[in-house]
Amino acid sequence: MSLDLMIKKITTMNNPSVAGLDPVLDYVPGYIQDKNFEIYGKNLKGASEAIWEFNKGLIDALCDVVPAVKPQSAFYEMYGLHGMEVLDRTIKYAKGKGLYVILDVKRNDIGSTAAAYSAAYLGRTMVSNEMYAASPVDCVTVNPYLGTDGIKPFIDDCKKYDKGIFVLVKTSNPSSGDLQDLIINDETIYQKAGALVRKWGADTVGDYGYSAVGAVVGATYPQQAKVLRELMPNTYFLVPGYGAQGGSAKDVKNCFNKDGLGAIVNSSRGIMCAYKKGNYAETDFAQAARNEAIRMKNELNSIL
Amino acid sequence: MSLDLMIKKITTMNNPSVAGLDPVLDYVPGYIQDKNFEIYGKNLKGASEAIWEFNKGLIDALCDVVPAVKPQSAFYEMYGLHGMEVLDRTIKYAKGKGLYVILDVKRNDIGSTAAAYSAAYLGRTMVSNEMYAASPVDCVTVNPYLGTDGIKPFIDDCKKYDKGIFVLVKTSNPSSGDLQDLIINDETIYQKAGALVRKWGADTVGDYGYSAVGAVVGATYPQQAKVLRELMPNTYFLVPGYGAQGGSAKDVKNCFNKDGLGAIVNSSRGIMCAYKKGNYAETDFAQAARNEAIRMKNELNSIL
């Protein structure tokens, strides 16, 4: 009912990072694009299959280095049903390789609809007394704007099926302050959201001292992360914004607790496009990704 | 670049309502479930195909009464890829019948990812210099928690492709106040969100005086709707919560402007399950839905 499964993988592999699988088509090596366009056509299907081949190579190269992957649903939904099919295939392949899978969907809705979203990703879908798992992910990201009854169904499924969620608190983007930084009686909205997250997770704390309800806290806002780290000692942070978005290892330090736990740092472009930066051939994209993931692991461990 | 396409249909059909297609399996008549379970199995595929048959019957019966339908993505995603395929089929079928399609996905993310979501539903996906529309919907619902740069890509596509969005402002659920009702200098967060929505839509106002950037305002909060109606005179409201959730015709009156426009009221369960309430045989579910849609239309017109 907690994030223990993820934390156990982090500690075993001594690596508090997650590889984002946000496959913008430009990230995919040209030779993979060409090959799949030839087989499937220069269309949504061909693009999706190119992404699949790229993802598979990345997962093979990363699965003994990183504890988790985080596919970003938007970059699959944009290819329609073909993209969603490749997302499903990617999730199953990653699970088969032993990776913890955080699906970045940022879903939320009113209670009854949130229950349907939770069934889609964390729970079970009932069909005439039979229960089916529509997707085998371990964890999803969730938006808090609708309040408690939009979150509760996810927490119920976390408890039932040993899953986790990360709720948006302080996001990494430049405009995140438009609503999140508004101040009420000396407290910001992201602090209010943080307090809600702490409350929502209070009865789901696992063996490592962390609840099933984590928080998304951007690496691009280290001061805010410090405030939130103190406010939410038992909450794991999913930290986007490291690397390409501008957050450094020093910036993410505030997201960790003194126990060296408390945060899992995401890198998407940095790992997926490592072959474009180093002195690599396109065909060595997987080795380049692996090298960058190891470099990132060492960098994060050096600040802990 | 505005909601004119929708408003034109509303005025032509003299009906400011939208039929929600939130196909909880329990809503589907037993004989349709049994038939599809027999053909496809008692599984996610069988359930999805039963939903498709139900949706098709509803769309056929409603397409000359209501101007728009609003499929709720969660109730398709919960059946995995089969459900998403049926959602795609439903959208295309509704479009073919001339209905305006609002896809209720409540998506949002940081700028680059929001652009991918917008490509998925409103814009185009580029594959090697070819542009593809992954989905033919007219409009989507969007969450504002990430601020301006999470919304801008959607607005850009509204302008380019004559689409619309509805941004969550004051949602219909009991806990919507957890964050939305927090007060900053005498103004609530939902008012702050409303002011942002007004600003975001300012340069997209169409022939009827309404912008491409609408707002979701729950029928269950009529006093808050009144405040927002004054704050956002050029913003169309998508109004959930009428009927089954407790909002009455009187309650939604505050969502309309004096011109009789300004709001489109959603009913999902009320229309989809009308056959369960009246003295109908299961096989008359479509006629029952049609009768309820006409009753709702008359009721809404009586308060305008």
Side-chain angles (χ1 to χ4, degrees), chain A:
Chain A
M1 71 170 200
S2 62
L3 288 167
D4 282 2
L5 211 63
M6 181 188 79
I7 303 169
K8 193 178 172 190
K9 281 197 73 74
I10 290 172
T11 53
T12 306
M13 300 178 85
N14 192 29
N15 186 356
S17 69
V18 46
L21 295 175
D22 310 5
V24 175
L25 196 53
D26 280 349
Y27 296 180
V28 180
Y31 80 95
I32 294 179
Q33 292 189 45
D34 292 343
K35 179 180 144 194
N36 285 280
F37 290 161
E38 201 164 306
I39 303 173
Y40 302 103
K42 263 188 198 174
N43 50 35
L44 299 177
K45 168 86 173 162
S48 301
E49 292 297 335
I51 286 167
W52 161 242
E53 185 173 339
F54 184 47
N55 279 354
K56 197 167 164 294
L58 291 170
I59 290 168
D60 286 342
L62 296 170
C63 64
D64 64 337
V65 177
V66 299
V69 289
K70 181 177 76 66
Q72 167 52 258
S73 192
F75 291 106
Y76 301 85
E77 292 181 44
M78 69 185 287
Y79 299 99
L81 289 171
H82 298 298
M84 295 179 206
E85 202 266 310
V86 160
L87 173 58
D88 186 62
R89 227 187 288 166
T90 298
I91 291 166
K92 286 171 180 159
Y93 191 75
K95 287 289 297 175
K97 290 279 175 177
L99 286 155
Y100 189 85
V101 177
I102 302 166
L103 183 58
D104 199 351
V105 285
K106 297 190 174 62
R107 298 295 195 265
N108 200 232
D109 212 298
I110 66 168
S112 54
T113 309
Y117 275 131
S118 184
Y121 298 106
L122 302 182
R124 298 289 182 274
T125 297
M126 179 90 84
V127 179
S128 182
N129 299 323
E130 296 287 331
M131 307 268 258
Y132 293 93
S135 176
V137 304
D138 297 299
C139 185
V140 290
T141 55
V142 177
N143 188 304
Y145 191 68
L146 287 95
T148 303
D149 58 30
I151 301 289
K152 198 179 167 300
F154 290 97
I155 299 175
D156 291 345
D157 281 335
C158 286
K159 291 178 184 173
K160 264 193 225 166
Y161 301 108
D162 203 16
K163 307 277 181 169
I165 58 174
F166 285 102
V167 180
L168 305 187
V169 172
K170 176 64 186 169
T171 58
S172 61
N173 56 314
S175 310
S176 69
D178 283 357
L179 287 175
Q180 296 163 30
D181 289 358
L182 295 176
I183 294 170
I184 297 172
N185 302 332
D186 296 332
E187 272 201 336
T188 57
I189 292 293
Y190 67 78
Q191 285 170 286
K192 295 282 187 187
L196 282 171
V197 166
R198 188 181 55 185
K199 195 178 78 177
W200 290 332
D203 66 342
T204 66
V205 174
D207 293 344
Y208 294 90
Y210 292 96
S211 86
V213 185
V216 175
V217 179
T220 44
Y221 296 106
Q223 286 319 305
Q224 291 85 335
K226 198 174 176 184
V227 171
L228 289 169
R229 187 66 286 168
E230 276 171 32
L231 176 68
M232 314 161 75
N234 304 109
T235 306
Y236 233 86
F237 289 1
L238 171 63
V239 185
Y242 168 89
Q245 278 183 59
S248 69
K250 205 172 130 266
D251 289 333
V252 302
K253 195 178 175 179
N254 293 348
C255 294
F256 287 88
N257 273 321
K258 293 212 174 76
D259 60 4
L261 296 174
I264 183 162
V265 181
N266 181 75
S267 171
S268 302
R269 213 182 321 168
I271 290 176
M272 300 177 82
C273 295
Y275 73 95
K276 293 190 177 192
K277 276 199 151 177
N279 197 12
Y280 291 100
E282 271 195 338
T283 45
D284 291 334
F285 76 91
Q287 184 62 47
R290 183 183 170 85
N291 291 351
E292 168 58 18
I294 292 169
R295 191 206 62 74
M296 180 181 172
K297 169 187 168 174
N298 293 336
E299 184 176 75
L300 290 175
N301 279 318
S302 78
I303 56 115
L304 291 178

Side-chain angles (χ1 to χ4, degrees), chain B residues 180-194:
Chain B
Q180 297 163 29
D181 290 358
L182 294 176
I183 294 170
I184 297 171
N185 302 332
D186 295 333
E187 272 201 336
T188 57
I189 292 294
Y190 67 79
Q191 285 170 287
K192 296 281 187 191

Side-chain angles (χ1 to χ4, degrees), chain B residues 3 36 110 123 134-135 144 147 152 174 207 218 236 238 242-244 303:
Chain B
L3 288 167
N36 284 280
I110 66 168
S135 175
K152 199 179 167 298
D207 294 343
Y236 233 85
L238 171 63
Y242 168 88
I303 57 115

